[in-house]
Amino acid sequence: MTVQLSRRTFLKTASATASTTLLVGFNSSKLLAAGSEYAEFTPFVRITGDGTVTAIIKHFECGQGVVAGLSTLIAEELNLSLDDIKVDFAPANAQKYANLFFGNVQGTGGSTAMANSFMQYRTAGAAAREMLISAAAEEWGVSPSKVTLADGQLSSGGNSAPIGDFVAAASQRDVPAKPSLKDASEFMLIGNPNTTRPDSTPKTDGTAQYAMDVHLDGQVVAVMLRSPRFGGTLASMDDSGAKEVPGFIHAVVSPMGNAAIVYAQNTWAAFQSRDAISAEWDFSNADNRSADQIKADLLAAVNREAEFDAKGTPSIAAEGLDNAAQVITREFYLPYLAHAPMEPLTCTIAPTETGVIIYDGCQMPTAAQGALSAVLQIPQENVEVKTLYAGGSFGRRSTPTADYHVEAALAFAFNGGQTPVKLVWSREDDLRGGYYRPATAHKVSIGLDEDGRIVGWDHRMTGKPIFKGSLWESFMVQNGVDNSTVEGSRDTLYNIKGHYVGVTDEKTPVSVNWWRSVGHSHTAYVMESMMDLAAEAAGQDPVEYRLSYLDSDSPDHDRLTAVLKLAASKSGWGNPLPEGRYRGVAAHKSFGTYVAEVVEISGNVEDGVVIEKVTCAVDCGIPVNPDVITAQMESGIGYGLGHVMRNEITFSDGEVDQWNFPDYEPLRIHDIKAIETHIVPSTAQPTGVGEPSTPPSGPALANAIAAMGVRVTHLPMTANGVYFN
């Protein structure tokens, strides 16, 4: 495949969108063609003639446990052990593999994998079971009700045979639209805390393949020389120094104007060549501010009238504040944050007979197809996506602009379109020029009556919106309000009288993106800190005070109440603490899941705070894989605490100060002595667990530190007077 791409053509086509088809209902495939080696019983179940069952996973795996979760559902309905089921990632095909919550898009995000796939994968497993049983029943001349399937064997009376013997016959049957599902009382795997992850072994022995592992014959490596400031453009470059680097091939100016593409025979040569290039940049349209100015601008914005009303009107809160017995006001600042996954961004594009194939830890196959289709000017159906394991994401591998996919497509095109090209980002590239959790400022005033009850809540916030200007704007932005900014505050579960939320957009070329738990990552910190301040001013216990605002009979209130009480009970809340120990609590609903956490600490802010224990209670509906849920609660807690403790992205004259883990330090294993997770038994449909433990972790720690006598409203804590041991 040869690609001819000019800057003019790129600019015309780069905004093109993908054309996909909505998946409705239970899609089925019809099945074993003559000479084929397997039957695809549904898009999600494949069985070979030797009886090997493979679960086709439509979501990507970045450590969150989706491979375990979805294969468990199929294994459960087929009465298989998880050890007897293989997994494979689905190809890019939104008609078959769309995320049911994303419309016509195949992708992973928003902690939706289990929530949107639970019935789909169970139904797929049950359908395959009924087809196999029906084929065996016909062969043996018995009623299907007399045939059982367990451990890969079909049995009836004196008849017994492995499922592989009936694959061909079963595959000729119609796929039942509504197969009979197992009753919860029959579950052997769902809810079993002893089930193991099928991806643990390949990840441990090194056989699991990640995007960074891909090395194709004849490939070249491409890296980008990007503007050191957001909004900068490349004025000129001199690559004479790069020509002295062994392995350097060539360098071209990107048609986007903000970077150059550097090609070499290997990764080391590519980075060395890039470093040897002299570049002149035009920063006239860049964000040239330093961190102090960014912070000052955001705080100034929340001290003005809000640009948009997200909930209520200012007069609703003003009435309560004017008549309050006391008013509590606090300003909050939460900095830019990087995703910092362990595996930096990378993907490889290679030509095929009809188009291209991309090897990627692909979070959004539909977006990747659309980006490559637009840039390379080929039909979307001619873009194959080979999804591999991803070494973390936290939202980074999916952006509103499909940034690294566009870069890879450009690198492939400007190298002639006939040679495989592997695009590689370094961690320094991502920390200094990637996508960030928006920096936000909040100002909240709460009015309390004589009994300590909230009578007015005025909440102003500002930050750069994520969805405005993106393909999702039409359903994520209403009346000028980007939901990614206000979620977790506008829709709080607390019954708050006189509640107003206003938002002002920040305008900056700094690129922002969803970050683990998105808006909840900052709104929960503010909401739960203010609830603690209100409880303190009212002279009431923080747990009891929160419960008093969850006083309806709604399922939302019942479930958040249950996790709050469970976390409090398991942490010993209300019992006397040893001298020098303090506790803080926070509770929050996000992505359909209810989480409450109690953080217990010791020490002091001057000599060092020690996180002794985090007690977590979670209600995520039916707990499909309790071990995965526990792991994700621990992961989200660690991610949330590590960032509020010491992480921030700062700028000096528009350039990012941080470069790698030495100055953007992730949570270390010694930072938390113990985490205890308690899962609420439930029969409700399962919801997500990848993100919901992150939002309450930070405010629970902040509330524990406040019990020491220091209220932290500007983050990170280490930059604002709190130290940790």
Side-chain angles (χ1 to χ4, degrees):
M1 175 187 178
T2 301
V3 177
Q4 299 293 332
L5 185 66
S6 67
R7 173 179 169 83
R8 180 182 297 276
T9 303
F10 167 73
L11 293 175
K12 286 181 179 179
T13 60
S15 62
T17 58
S19 174
T20 57
T21 304
L22 176 66
L23 174 64
V24 179
F26 181 63
N27 199 333
S28 62
S29 299
K30 199 68 165 148
L31 293 173
L32 193 69
S36 65
E37 297 179 352
Y38 64 84
E40 190 180 73
F41 279 73
T42 77
F44 312 107
V45 181
R46 179 191 304 149
I47 307 178
T48 61
D50 64 0
T52 300
V53 178
T54 301
I56 310 302
I57 308 299
K58 73 174 187 176
H59 297 282
F60 95 136
E61 173 67 68
C62 62
Q64 80 277 35
V66 68
V67 162
L70 299 187
S71 58
T72 292
L73 303 178
I74 289 175
E76 181 69 77
E77 293 295 343
L78 283 170
N79 293 322
L80 286 172
S81 163
L82 266 181
D83 294 334
D84 295 326
I85 191 166
K86 297 185 180 297
V87 295
D88 193 11
F89 292 110
N93 185 330
Q95 184 176 1
K96 288 184 177 182
Y97 300 112
N99 186 314
L100 302 181
F101 295 166
F102 291 176
N104 60 347
V105 174
Q106 180 181 352
T108 307
S111 296
T112 60
M114 182 57 69
N116 91 93
S117 302
F118 180 71
M119 292 304 297
Q120 197 174 42
Y121 274 70
R122 286 190 63 197
T123 302
R129 182 188 70 233
E130 289 192 0
M131 294 163 74
L132 289 165
I133 286 176
S134 177
E138 181 176 352
E139 174 71 19
W140 294 333
V142 298
S143 167
S145 63
K146 301 296 184 181
V147 180
T148 60
L149 170 59
D151 298 324
Q153 289 286 124
L154 289 155
S155 302
S156 178
N159 298 307
S160 180
I163 59 175
D165 289 0
F166 294 98
V167 166
S171 68
Q172 302 307 309
R173 284 169 159 69
D174 291 333
V175 179
K178 294 183 178 180
S180 177
L181 301 177
K182 292 173 69 172
D183 186 78
S185 63
E186 303 174 281
F187 288 163
M188 299 181 297
L189 298 177
I190 294 175
N192 186 338
N194 296 317
T195 56
T196 57
R197 291 179 59 152
D199 56 335
S200 293
T201 297
K203 288 180 177 179
T204 302
D205 64 21
T207 57
Q209 189 175 41
Y210 292 79
M212 196 62 79
D213 297 327
V214 173
H215 186 91
L216 304 180
D217 290 341
Q219 76 173 28
V220 300
V221 173
V223 299
M224 305 295 288
L225 174 64
R226 301 177 183 86
S227 169
R229 302 184 192 182
F230 289 92
T233 56
L234 182 60
S236 65
M237 73 168 183
D238 178 1
D239 65 356
S240 57
K243 293 176 181 177
E244 303 299 319
V245 177
F248 171 71
I249 299 174
H250 66 119
V252 299
V253 176
S254 166
M256 293 187 290
N258 65 343
I261 309 170
V262 183
Y263 300 89
Q265 294 174 358
N266 55 63
T267 304
W268 177 251
F271 286 142
Q272 293 297 300
S273 299
R274 181 179 64 179
D275 292 345
I277 292 175
S278 297
E280 296 292 332
W281 302 94
D282 180 356
F283 297 133
S284 56
N285 293 316
D287 192 332
N288 299 305
R289 296 175 296 168
S290 293
D292 289 346
Q293 187 61 55
I294 293 171
K295 182 176 181 178
D297 290 346
L298 289 170
L299 289 172
V302 295
N303 280 282
R304 299 191 298 265
E305 289 299 312
E307 187 178 4
F308 305 104
D309 295 334
K311 181 179 183 179
T313 62
S315 61
I316 291 176
E319 181 180 354
L321 294 173
D322 290 343
N323 297 310
Q326 59 177 318
V327 176
I328 307 164
T329 299
R330 291 291 188 279
E331 291 180 348
F332 293 80
Y333 177 72
L334 301 99
Y336 287 106
L337 295 174
H339 302 79
M342 291 301 294
E343 180 193 22
L345 297 172
T346 184
C347 63
T348 302
I349 300 179
T352 64
E353 290 185 1
T354 58
V356 296
I357 183 171
I358 180 171
Y359 300 84
D360 183 28
C362 195
Q363 186 166 351
M364 292 283 175
T366 301
Q369 281 187 307
L372 270 61
S373 171
V375 174
L376 301 178
Q377 303 168 65
I378 58 177
Q380 184 170 322
E381 60 267 24
N382 291 351
V383 178
E384 299 177 53
V385 179
K386 176 63 176 177
T387 297
L388 307 169
Y389 285 106
S393 176
F394 315 114
R396 179 61 184 94
R397 298 183 192 277
S398 169
T399 65
T401 60
D403 64 315
Y404 75 99
H405 294 122
V406 170
E407 289 182 348
L410 290 171
F412 177 75
F414 279 91
N415 198 49
Q418 295 181 322
T419 303
V421 174
K422 182 175 185 176
L423 177 79
V424 178
W425 285 55
S426 67
R427 184 166 293 109
E428 291 86 350
D429 290 340
D430 201 27
L431 283 179
R432 288 184 162 174
Y435 281 67
Y436 307 120
R437 196 280 302 269
T440 60
H442 296 245
K443 182 179 181 180
V444 184
S445 294
I446 301 177
L448 303 179
D449 65 15
E450 293 83 356
D451 297 323
R453 303 299 296 172
I454 298 171
V455 293
W457 184 301
D458 188 299
H459 192 159
R460 316 286 174 101
M461 67 183 76
T462 185
K464 184 176 180 178
I466 294 171
F467 287 101
K468 285 189 177 180
S470 76
L471 297 176
W472 297 276
E473 180 172 2
S474 61
F475 59 92
M476 290 301 294
V477 179
Q478 295 86 33
N479 300 319
V481 178
D482 192 315
N483 188 61
S484 67
T485 304
V486 300
E487 60 183 354
S489 56
R490 176 170 63 180
D491 54 352
T492 179
L493 295 188
Y494 296 124
N495 284 329
I496 297 175
K497 185 178 180 181
H499 189 200
Y500 168 71
V501 179
V503 62
T504 298
D505 290 345
E506 187 197 22
K507 281 77 174 178
T508 172
V510 175
S511 52
V512 299
N513 192 31
W514 32 80
W515 183 93
R516 195 172 192 170
S517 76
V518 202
H520 298 279
S521 68
H522 58 89
T523 58
Y525 189 92
V526 175
M527 293 295 299
E528 288 300 289
S529 294
M530 293 305 296
M531 286 298 289
D532 232 53
L533 281 162
E536 179 184 4
Q540 298 182 30
D541 176 82
V543 171
E544 295 302 322
Y545 193 76
R546 285 170 170 80
L547 291 173
S548 72
Y549 289 89
L550 300 171
D551 55 353
S552 77
D553 292 328
S554 71
D556 269 335
H557 279 194
D558 290 344
R559 296 175 75 176
L560 193 60
T561 291
V563 295
L564 185 53
K565 288 182 175 180
L566 181 59
S569 172
K570 295 297 184 179
S571 70
W573 188 274
N575 297 333
L577 280 166
E579 185 176 352
R581 295 286 187 103
Y582 307 87
R583 292 192 189 107
V585 65
H588 194 74
K589 177 191 177 185
S590 61
F591 308 98
T593 293
Y594 308 78
V595 179
E597 296 169 24
V598 175
V599 173
E600 183 174 327
I601 61 174
S602 64
N604 58 72
V605 296
E606 294 86 7
D607 301 321
V609 173
V610 176
I611 302 176
E612 299 286 349
K613 183 180 180 182
V614 181
T615 304
C616 171
V618 55
D619 179 351
C620 57
I622 296 172
V624 175
N625 296 101
D627 185 60
V628 170
I629 294 169
T630 298
Q632 284 302 292
M633 291 300 104
E634 293 174 352
S635 170
I637 288 166
Y639 198 74
L641 289 181
H643 280 85
V644 302
M645 288 162 64
R646 52 178 169 252
N647 288 147
E648 60 181 334
I649 292 294
T650 59
F651 296 81
S652 295
D653 298 325
E655 298 187 16
V656 174
D657 299 315
Q658 291 71 32
W659 65 282
N660 209 317
F661 287 150
D663 56 3
Y664 193 85
E665 185 181 358
L667 186 94
R668 304 296 186 181
I669 195 167
H670 66 262
D671 284 325
I672 306 174
K673 287 189 175 181
I675 302 177
E676 189 177 280
T677 298
H678 302 275
I679 302 170
V680 175
S682 177
T683 58
Q685 289 294 295
T687 50
V689 296
E691 297 167 275
S693 65
T694 296
S697 61
L701 174 61
N703 292 336
I705 292 172
M708 282 182 168
V710 178
R711 172 64 63 182
V712 185
T713 60
H714 290 197
L715 296 177
M717 293 177 173
T718 52
N720 290 279
V722 179
Y723 301 93
F724 293 89
N725 287 330

